[in-house]
Amino acid sequence: MAAMYDAGVKHDRAATLGARAMWGADMRRMFADVARLADTPAGTSVLDIPCGGGFALRGLSSGQPVRYVAADISPYMLERGARRGASNAGARRD
């Protein structure tokens, strides 16, 4: 299930349609909130719970000097998030 979710949220349109069909949820607001992370000032901490596969990292620029703290119940998702965070050089991960 975690792998299916992780694959789905990489495609905004598929995630939006899937969330509406399965849960009646509107993902557009979440995508907009994540996009606003690009405006996060240097030195800010970003808390991402549940982090999924590091979904909030997609809103941060490569090398953006923020502290990214993530938690998830799924070890698979934590590992995916850690790998994604490692590719975002400059972002401090905890």
Side-chain angles (χ1 to χ4, degrees):
M1 194 66 178
M4 191 167 63
Y5 166 84
D6 193 38
V9 297
K10 290 179 183 173
H11 307 284
D12 296 5
R13 185 147 173 81
T16 300
L17 293 173
R20 184 173 302 279
M22 291 192 307
W23 306 298
D26 186 352
M27 297 286 286
R28 292 175 298 180
R29 184 175 173 188
M30 183 177 75
F31 288 125
D33 288 343
V34 168
R36 281 195 291 275
L37 289 173
D39 299 327
T40 303
T44 300
S45 293
V46 175
L47 178 60
D48 189 9
I49 300 174
C51 67
F55 184 75
L57 287 169
R58 73 188 278 176
L60 298 171
S61 300
S62 181
Q64 190 171 352
V66 299
R67 180 175 180 229
Y68 175 73
V69 181
D72 201 294
I73 195 169
S74 168
Y76 172 82
M77 289 299 198
L78 286 172
E79 176 58 32
R80 298 273 304 166
R83 282 191 303 236
R84 188 170 193 174
S87 68
N88 191 12
R92 187 173 144 206
R93 298 170 318 175
D94 291 320

